[in-house]
Amino acid sequence: MAMFRFLAAARRAALLLSLALTGAPGMAAPLPPRVTVAGGVLEGFPIARPQGMVRAFLGIPYAAPPIGAWRWRPPRPAAVWQGVRQATTFGPRCMQRPLFADMRFRSPGMAEDCLYLNVWAPAAGTAHPVLVYLHGGGFLAGDGSEPRYDGAALAARGLVVVTLNYRLDVFGFLALPALAEESPQQAAGNYGLLDQAAALAWVKANIAAFGGDPARITVGGESAGAMSVSALMASPLTRDLIAGALGESGALIAPLAPLPRAEAMQRGARWAARAGASPLTALRDLPAAALLEASAAIEPTPARPDVDGLFLSEPPEATFARGDQAKVPLLLGSNTQEGDYPALLHGATPTPAHYRAALRRLFGTQAAQALTLYPGADEAQVRRSARELAGDLFVAHSTWRWMDAHRASGAPVYFYLYAHPRPRPRVPAAVDAEAPGAVHSAEIEYALDNLAGNPVYAWDAADRALAGLFSAYVRAFVAQGDPNDTGLPPWPAVGIHQDPVPRQWLELPVHTAYDPGAARHAFLRSYFATHRGEGW
């Protein structure tokens, strides 16, 4: 009888909770959710998802506006506000050019005052695992409001999800001798990465108010976001804040390694001279729109991370080689078509002769060795090999090296290859021609279960099934540092010296295969030991 009374009480409690969250006929609407953080009280709004209710809080300032005299300085704490701050709209996106056709923003506009983050949290409970997700865009563009990064789907399954904006382009990465002179650490550049560090510290200090566990923060991202994750694992400012890491397509490792500080400052000084604004006070006085125009007009754009002396004291690869990075579980991978052969062949037709000429142009006396690893005996093989090489030179090789460096520390590493091409677009002219492989960034909506937020493609049952599997792996990994969970195809970790490397093929049916690419990446590692990468 006691057990029956207990079950009845539990059912009544569940009903009351459901009514409080969703309302019922004749009842008043539920009150908007509120939380108290370091800056004051925030009021968000509820979102109903099939898996459960979610609380959303948008446009939360995590740092003070980096404007005026604070342009090109490390971020400062956000100001305290009085009363209740509405957190129902995204903050402005950071200054950027319209470079990528696949970026769709929900932010109200663009401004230098852009250091805001967004939180999606389960409607109830405490100590939920946390995913802080960093947008891509080559450190030139992107925004935490993009629908593909929306956190509601994963929050409905028990995660607290955070997205954020960080300074981009010349605003986020200009390095100048004058900036080093005013820095106590003689640091210059990496202001966008310092923004990420400030946001991560804010999350650590405040996420419990949203029901998150500050001891279980996984940082993730795609492209420039993944490169940032590798840097956050290495930075002395952030490596102790991270419990797990998720990287999709890219690492701040050759051919995408950061510039030496001296070289970054030389590049920045040349850029500033060509922009016609010197000294530093004059640059800080320029309107933001004028700086953005100068960035578009003057190459190379000063939007590359460097070993600045504050966020990074050495290249991340050196930190990983010593084993001083955050030794946390890492889930990472790349896609089957990160690049394509026209970029490698400079527009020439994919004939064996043109391909061999491209290899000679790239690798010089090592071209013959490259040809054995990326063969091109006929046009079909040229297309395939040149596509693979273009992807390796872009982000796939740096991702491989990140995997290889981190597994040497003994930390768990789970490696994937995303191989599912996008479906046909609903309006063919809206996007590039259909690709035979999985192109760069194609996996994001699947990993975060956000297919519904992208109306461009005609998603079908297979897409939804793969999104369910990939996002379930992500949820399990953030929750427990291991993507394996009940009902999912098993995903083995990569052994320290294992060759060939086990890799989870993310296509239907999802399965584990062994990647034969070790020799290919050993060749590229040797080449990049003496050559600057083409990835920039």
Side-chain angles (χ1 to χ4, degrees):
M1 183 65 69
M3 177 59 71
F4 288 122
R5 285 196 297 270
F6 171 81
L7 292 174
R11 282 194 293 270
R12 284 196 299 274
L15 176 61
L16 289 172
L17 176 60
S18 174
L19 292 174
L21 292 174
T22 63
M27 292 184 63
L31 294 174
R34 289 185 177 181
V35 298
T36 301
V37 296
V41 179
L42 295 166
E43 182 171 282
F45 60 96
I47 299 174
R49 297 295 300 234
Q51 299 89 352
M53 293 296 295
V54 171
R55 297 171 296 151
F57 300 86
L58 311 178
I60 305 168
Y62 68 84
I67 58 178
W70 293 98
R71 184 185 278 171
W72 301 307
R73 293 184 190 268
R76 300 164 295 141
V80 174
W81 57 87
Q82 300 299 315
V84 178
R85 181 186 178 101
Q86 293 298 305
T88 54
T89 57
F90 293 99
R93 59 189 174 274
C94 292
M95 299 298 296
Q96 59 190 273
R97 293 172 279 152
L99 297 173
F100 302 104
D102 63 342
M103 288 186 174
R104 298 168 51 244
F105 303 119
R106 295 178 290 180
S107 51
M110 182 171 63
E112 271 193 279
D113 177 3
C114 64
L115 301 186
Y116 298 89
L117 56 76
N118 316 294
V119 180
W120 292 264
T126 60
H128 296 291
V130 180
L131 172 62
V132 177
Y133 198 89
L134 304 169
H135 69 76
F139 298 113
L140 292 166
D143 178 58
S145 78
E146 294 180 58
R148 57 184 170 181
Y149 306 130
D150 193 277
L154 290 178
R157 299 187 205 171
L159 303 186
V160 176
V161 181
V162 180
T163 66
L164 59 110
N165 300 342
Y166 54 92
R167 281 173 282 181
L168 302 164
D169 206 317
V170 65
F171 301 90
F173 295 92
L174 179 65
L176 292 170
L179 291 169
E181 289 172 7
E182 68 181 23
S183 165
Q185 299 84 11
Q186 298 294 294
N190 286 355
Y191 304 104
L193 293 173
L194 289 167
D195 294 342
Q196 296 174 11
L200 198 54
W202 189 97
V203 170
K204 183 80 169 180
N206 292 281
I207 206 64
F210 302 89
D213 185 350
R216 288 196 292 167
I217 298 173
T218 294
V219 61
E222 187 270 342
S223 194
M227 294 165 64
S228 299
V229 171
S230 69
L232 291 163
M233 291 176 70
S235 173
L237 301 183
T238 52
R239 57 192 178 211
D240 293 334
L241 304 178
I242 299 169
L246 166 65
E248 302 165 42
S249 302
L252 208 61
I253 297 171
L256 300 172
L259 289 171
R261 177 173 42 180
E263 182 178 347
M265 290 193 295
Q266 290 169 2
R267 287 188 177 199
R270 288 195 298 269
W271 182 89
R274 293 187 62 193
S278 184
L280 181 56
T281 52
L283 277 171
R284 284 192 169 127
D285 286 341
L286 280 178
L291 274 174
L292 205 58
E293 289 174 8
S295 180
I298 302 169
E299 294 291 344
T301 299
R304 180 167 178 174
D306 70 317
V307 180
D308 63 320
L310 177 56
F311 182 83
L312 290 175
S313 56
E314 63 183 356
E317 190 166 22
T319 306
F320 277 81
R322 275 203 324 279
D324 285 342
Q325 78 278 16
K327 294 189 182 71
V328 299
L330 171 63
L331 187 153
L332 79 167
S334 56
N335 298 357
T336 55
Q337 192 173 324
E338 297 285 9
D340 208 352
Y341 69 85
L344 192 77
L345 300 179
H346 292 181
T349 54
T351 65
H354 287 154
Y355 179 56
R356 288 193 298 272
L359 294 185
R360 287 193 297 272
R361 186 171 59 247
L362 276 170
F363 300 113
T365 58
Q366 297 172 273
Q369 184 180 0
L371 188 61
T372 65
L373 297 165
Y374 300 92
D378 54 40
E379 184 170 325
Q381 196 173 57
V382 166
R383 288 174 183 266
R384 184 169 57 252
S385 290
R387 184 175 291 127
E388 290 177 347
L389 179 53
D392 285 350
L393 295 175
F394 177 34
V395 292
H397 177 59
S398 68
T399 308
W400 177 283
R401 290 178 70 163
W402 185 12
M403 174 277 297
D404 197 37
H406 195 57
R407 66 166 166 164
S409 72
V413 175
Y414 300 90
F415 199 36
Y416 72 80
L417 182 72
Y418 186 79
H420 183 73
R422 281 172 171 155
R424 61 177 177 81
R426 297 181 190 277
V427 182
V431 294
D432 293 335
E434 292 184 52
V439 299
H440 187 63
S441 82
E443 84 292 346
I444 299 172
E445 287 91 347
Y446 297 81
L448 302 181
D449 200 12
N450 282 328
L451 297 183
N454 187 339
V456 172
Y457 297 97
W459 311 112
D460 60 18
D463 297 301
R464 289 186 284 273
L466 185 58
L469 287 170
F470 196 176
S471 62
Y473 280 133
V474 169
R475 189 214 62 80
F477 179 77
V478 174
Q480 63 196 22
D482 184 333
N484 291 287
D485 205 358
T486 303
L488 296 177
W491 185 338
V494 180
I496 293 178
H497 302 296
Q498 195 169 4
D499 185 25
V501 169
R503 200 163 186 181
Q504 201 75 345
W505 249 248
L506 294 178
E507 60 181 346
L508 294 177
V510 172
H511 61 284
T512 303
Y514 288 88
D515 194 310
R520 200 168 80 193
H521 292 290
F523 165 74
L524 291 177
R525 181 194 299 268
S526 174
Y527 174 76
F528 286 122
T530 56
H531 295 78
R532 177 59 56 78
E534 294 293 323
W536 294 96

